[in-house]
């Protein structure tokens, strides 16, 4: 018999049919918990994604703002780097930086915001505003002070009041010193000159370059005219190295035709040396007993040497061809007690003796007899013949210059040397173009001869003020490109002036190196290849001027 639905089975207890429903209830609760956890995780991921998107949007906005705020200089630099395609690619770049466009369904006002943003960007791109500096350093505005008393900068001081200079003024001072050393602004440092040369080269084309490359040979030649600024020279052994004078060397002179130099001094000797720039061997020496030599000079033909003493009325003539020494005890018609200073005419016809009380005695070079006497106002201190021997320039102690005609012995003209308190020396250039007058103040005035013959108070073309003591020696070189001025009252007081530009050669004498001492006499060789200085130490210093190829 089947038991009823409610009857329990054998061995089973009470409520058996209720157990399956309990298990179903437990399974449903666990599913709900898992679903809730997944939803919470999804929401967290969505919030994190939204935050990342917002951060990226903010970064894009800052980038767009920086791009739109670029300066004009940055724009020009970008155009140079990227070319004309920058304007076409800029919109695409901005679009990529802005990200994908949003749908109208997600944000209805996005189109309005995009259009407004693009207008702001366009306005920013059209008007470039320069950026202000992030900060201003006060130290940059303050001028740095330089101590000028330092031993490396002491020579740049113009007065004792310039012990402190600003950096800007020191820069200007250094530029001035460089330009003086170079004789002006060099071509490689002149920007305008370089621009003009570039335009000239571009206009001329490459035809000259092609022609240059098709030929061989020496394309480097020396300039015919002497450049200013730096004088290329070499110091040689003294011209009288084989027989140095025992006392002051009063005269040095080059032979007019042979490669020979003559020295004479207070040691009563006259010496001749062959000039080779290496050994300078001695040729001959003569000794004049009890006759300290004040001045010695070659005759125009170079066959005789005339020598005067310091306190003698007589003078000597040394005949080099005959080997004889001829004393001239007295010139008939002359009453001067001493005969010291004299000049020999370039044509070899006359000898001019400077007497006392302003007298000038013109002698025949052949017979040594007096031809005529001329008189200047006051006392005559120096005289000089013109190169054609037709005129004599005589400089008086009162600062007046008298111009005499040699043939008629008449005074053609007289003018006053500007600013001269006392005349000391005078020289006329070989081309008869210039007259140089040195005064006791150290100023050497350079005049043109045509002005000196017309005006009573001519203006010098250049007043040379490089000497601080009396100018005692002036001489031109044979090409009238160099004027040498010197003083025998101060060591190293020698200057060489470039005549065409009237500027001093900056490399002579050598700075901070004493070797010249007191200059007594100077002379150039016949073709300016050598320059010699007689000093008070008994030496005839010799220099080779490299610009000139001949002796």
């Amino acid at each position: 018999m089947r038991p009823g639905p409610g009857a329990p089975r054998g061995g089973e207890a009470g409520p058996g049919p209720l157990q399956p429903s309990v298990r179903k209830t437990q399974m449903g609760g666990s599913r709900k918990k898992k679903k809730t956890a997944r939803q919470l995780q999804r929401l967290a991921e969505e919030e994190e994604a939204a935050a990342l998107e917002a951060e990226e949007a903010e970064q894009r906005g800052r980038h767009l703002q920086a791009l739109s705020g670029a300066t004009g200089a940055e724009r020009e630099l970008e155009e140079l780097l990227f070319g004309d395609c920058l304007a076409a690619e800029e919109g695409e770049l901005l679009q990529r930086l802005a990200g994908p466009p949003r749908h109208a369904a997600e944000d209805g006002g996005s189109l309005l915001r995009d259009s407004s943003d693009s207008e702001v960007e366009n306005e920013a791109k059209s008007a470039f505003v320069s950026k202000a500096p992030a900060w201003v350093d006060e130290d940059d505005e303050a001028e740095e002070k330089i101590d000028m008393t330092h031993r490396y900068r002491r020579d740049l001081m113009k007065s004792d009041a310039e012990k402190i200079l600003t950096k800007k003024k020191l820069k200007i001072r250094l530029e001035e010193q460089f330009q003086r050393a170079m004789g002006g602004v060099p071509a490689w440092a002149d920007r305008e000159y370089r621009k003009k040369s570039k335009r000239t080269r571009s206009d001329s084309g490459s035809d000259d370059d092609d022609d240059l490359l098709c030929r061989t040979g020496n394309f480097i030649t020396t300039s015919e005219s002497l450049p200013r600024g730096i004088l290329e020279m070499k110091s040689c052994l003294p011209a009288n190295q084989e027989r140095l004078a025992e006392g002051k060397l009063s005269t040095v002179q080059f032979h007019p035709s042979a490669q020979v130099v003559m020295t004479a001094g207070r040691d009563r000797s006259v010496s001749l040396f062959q000039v080779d720039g290496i050994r300078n061997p001695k040729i001959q020496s003569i000794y004049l007993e009890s006759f300290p030599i004040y001045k010695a000079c070659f005759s125009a033909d170079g066959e005789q040497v005339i020598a005067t003493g310091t306190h003698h009325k007589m003078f000597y003539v040394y005949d080099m061809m005959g080997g004889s020494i001829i004393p001239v005890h007295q010139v008939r018609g002359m009453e001067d007690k001493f005969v010291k200073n004299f000049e020999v005419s370039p044509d070899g016809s006359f000898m001019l003796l400077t007497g006392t009380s302003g007298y000038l005695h013109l002698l025949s070079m052949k017979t040594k007899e007096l031809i005529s006497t001329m008189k200047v106002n006051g006392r005559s201190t120096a005289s000089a013949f013109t190169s054609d021997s037709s005129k004599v320039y005589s400089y008086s102690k009162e600062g007046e210059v008298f111009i005499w005609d040699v043939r008629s012995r008449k005074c053609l003209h007289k003018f006053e040397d500007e600013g001269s308190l006392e005349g000391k020396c005078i020289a006329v250039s070989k081309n008869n173009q210039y007259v140089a007058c040195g005064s006791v103040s150290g100023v050497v005035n350079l005049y043109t001869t045509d002005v000196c013959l017309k005006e009573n108070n001519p203006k010098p073309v250049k007043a040379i003020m490089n000497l601080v003591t009396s100018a005692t020696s002036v001489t031109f070189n044979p090409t009238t490109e160099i004027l040498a001025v010197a003083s025998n009252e101060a060591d190293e007081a020698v200057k060489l002036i470039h005549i065409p530009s009237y500027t001093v050669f900056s490399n002579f004498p050598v700075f901070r190196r004493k070797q010249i001492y007191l200059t007594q006499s100077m002379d150039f060789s016949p073709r300016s290849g050598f320059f010699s200085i007689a000093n008070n130490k008994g030496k005839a210093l010799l220099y080779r001027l490299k610009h000139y190829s001949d002796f």
Side-chain angles (χ1 to χ4, degrees):
M1 188 175 171
R2 291 178 75 176
R9 293 183 181 179
E12 294 180 0
L18 296 176
Q19 292 179 359
S21 63
V22 173
R23 286 195 295 270
K24 291 179 181 179
T25 303
Q26 293 175 350
M27 293 174 62
S30 63
R31 291 192 191 95
K32 290 180 180 179
K33 290 179 181 180
K34 291 180 180 179
K35 184 177 181 181
T36 303
R38 285 196 297 271
Q39 291 176 353
L40 292 174
Q41 185 178 1
R42 190 180 300 112
L43 290 174
E45 292 176 353
E46 290 177 356
E47 289 177 358
E48 184 179 358
L52 291 173
E53 185 177 356
E55 185 178 356
E56 291 178 357
E58 185 179 357
Q59 291 179 355
R60 286 196 298 271
R62 288 198 300 268
H63 196 176
L64 289 173
Q65 186 177 1
L67 185 62
S68 62
T71 62
E74 293 173 352
R75 288 288 183 177
E76 293 179 1
L77 181 59
E78 290 175 357
E79 290 180 1
L80 290 174
L81 291 174
F82 301 109
D84 298 335
C85 63
L86 179 64
E89 294 179 355
E90 189 174 28
E92 182 181 353
L93 177 61
L94 292 173
Q95 183 65 30
R96 289 203 308 270
L97 293 173
R102 297 179 181 178
H103 295 288
E106 294 178 359
D107 192 357
S110 62
L111 293 176
L112 294 175
R113 286 195 299 270
D114 292 342
S115 62
S116 62
D117 292 341
S118 62
E119 291 177 359
V120 173
E121 292 170 4
N122 292 333
E123 291 178 359
K125 285 186 288 183
S126 60
F128 300 114
V129 181
S130 61
K131 293 181 180 180
W135 73 88
V136 177
D137 193 348
E138 296 180 356
D139 294 337
D140 293 340
E141 301 296 332
E143 292 187 356
E144 184 179 352
K145 303 293 183 180
I146 306 296
D147 182 15
M148 298 301 295
T149 59
H150 191 274
R151 61 192 182 99
Y152 290 145
R153 294 184 288 269
R154 196 176 301 154
D155 297 328
L156 297 175
M157 294 172 57
K158 293 183 178 180
S159 64
D160 294 337
E162 294 183 336
K163 293 182 178 179
I164 299 295
L165 284 182
T166 62
K167 196 172 183 179
K168 184 177 180 181
K169 290 183 178 179
L170 178 59
K171 179 183 177 183
I172 296 174
R173 192 67 54 82
L174 290 171
E175 289 177 354
E176 292 175 354
Q177 185 190 39
F178 174 77
Q179 291 177 9
R180 285 196 301 270
M182 298 299 294
V185 180
W188 56 264
D190 191 352
R191 295 182 178 179
E192 295 296 330
Y193 177 81
R194 293 174 66 184
K195 290 180 181 178
K196 291 179 181 179
S197 62
K198 286 182 179 179
R199 287 196 296 266
T200 305
R201 286 197 299 268
S202 61
D203 295 340
S204 62
S206 60
D207 294 340
D208 297 338
D209 297 337
D210 294 340
D211 181 64
L212 179 65
L213 296 174
C214 291
R215 294 183 290 111
T216 60
N218 184 16
F219 295 99
I220 301 175
T221 58
T222 57
S223 175
E224 294 182 359
S225 61
L226 180 68
R228 66 177 185 177
I230 302 295
L231 181 61
E232 293 187 11
M233 60 193 311
K234 174 188 175 184
S235 179
C236 306
L237 284 176
N240 61 341
Q241 178 66 30
E242 293 196 357
R243 191 192 181 282
L244 299 177
E246 296 179 359
K248 182 188 298 184
L249 199 63
S250 58
T251 299
V252 62
Q253 186 184 13
F254 289 95
H255 194 275
S257 57
Q259 199 162 333
V260 175
V261 66
M262 180 258 301
T263 63
R266 301 300 168 86
D267 62 349
R268 305 171 181 84
S269 65
V270 177
S271 301
L272 301 176
F273 302 88
Q274 182 181 354
V275 179
D276 58 6
I278 302 174
R279 289 183 55 249
N280 304 321
K282 186 183 76 170
I283 300 175
Q284 190 179 11
S285 290
I286 61 172
Y287 182 78
L288 303 177
E289 187 176 357
S290 302
F291 197 82
I293 299 173
Y294 179 83
K295 183 177 180 179
C297 183
F298 281 112
S299 61
D301 56 8
E303 296 182 358
Q304 294 179 346
V305 174
I306 299 103
T308 58
T310 55
H311 296 86
H312 293 79
K313 190 175 183 179
M314 63 175 292
F315 61 91
Y316 283 95
V317 177
Y318 171 48
D319 186 358
M320 292 188 294
M321 302 302 292
S324 59
I325 301 174
I326 305 170
V328 180
H329 293 281
Q330 185 176 1
V331 178
R332 185 181 300 177
M334 285 180 54
E335 297 180 358
D336 297 273
K337 294 181 179 181
F338 303 112
V339 175
K340 296 171 66 175
N341 199 6
F342 70 96
E343 299 294 332
V344 176
S345 64
D347 64 355
S349 301
F350 305 103
M351 177 180 174
L352 185 70
L353 292 176
T354 302
T356 57
S357 302
Y359 286 100
L360 300 173
H361 305 288
L362 189 65
L363 277 64
S364 170
M365 190 65 188
K366 184 176 182 180
T367 61
K368 307 299 185 294
E369 293 182 353
L370 181 64
I371 298 175
S372 179
T373 299
M374 299 168 283
K375 175 73 167 63
V376 301
N377 298 334
R379 175 186 168 191
S380 179
T381 56
S383 301
F385 280 96
T386 58
S387 59
D388 57 1
S389 303
S390 62
K391 299 180 183 65
V392 172
Y393 285 75
S394 180
Y395 200 12
S396 71
K397 188 176 181 180
E398 287 71 22
E400 294 179 327
V401 179
F402 296 82
I403 305 175
W404 302 89
D405 180 68
V406 175
R407 288 185 177 273
S408 63
R409 269 81 70 184
K410 292 182 179 181
C411 182
L412 300 176
H413 191 65
K414 180 184 72 172
F415 69 91
E416 293 185 2
D417 183 20
E418 186 179 63
S420 176
L421 301 177
E422 179 182 345
K424 298 293 287 185
C425 55
I426 191 170
V428 182
S429 64
K430 299 298 187 292
N431 61 357
N432 285 337
Q433 184 179 358
Y434 296 103
V435 177
C437 302
S439 64
V440 70
S441 62
V443 178
V444 178
N445 288 327
L446 189 64
Y447 300 93
T448 56
T449 53
D450 54 349
V451 175
C452 294
L453 288 168
K454 297 177 182 178
E455 300 181 14
N456 295 327
N457 295 282
K459 294 292 181 181
V461 294
K462 179 65 177 180
I464 302 164
M465 302 183 181
N466 297 87
L467 300 178
V468 296
T469 54
S470 299
T472 55
S473 300
V474 289
T475 182
F476 290 90
N477 79 317
T479 61
T480 319
E481 292 178 308
I482 303 174
L483 170 63
V485 300
S487 173
N488 61 6
E489 298 179 5
D491 290 337
E492 312 300 304
V494 183
K495 293 295 179 182
L496 299 180
I497 292 88
H498 182 251
I499 290 299
S501 64
Y502 310 124
T503 57
V504 175
F505 290 103
S506 60
N507 62 322
F508 187 85
V510 179
F511 185 59
R512 290 180 179 175
R513 183 181 173 187
K514 185 180 288 189
Q515 60 180 4
I516 298 176
Y517 295 96
L518 300 180
T519 301
Q520 306 299 317
S521 175
M522 302 180 296
D523 193 29
F524 291 91
S525 62
R527 291 178 178 81
S528 304
F530 287 90
F531 174 61
S532 184
I533 299 174
N535 65 11
N536 62 322
K537 301 294 183 180
K539 292 183 178 181
L541 304 176
L542 188 64
Y543 300 92
R544 174 72 175 94
L545 306 185
K546 297 182 179 180
H547 176 79
Y548 303 100
S549 57
D550 297 330
F551 175 77

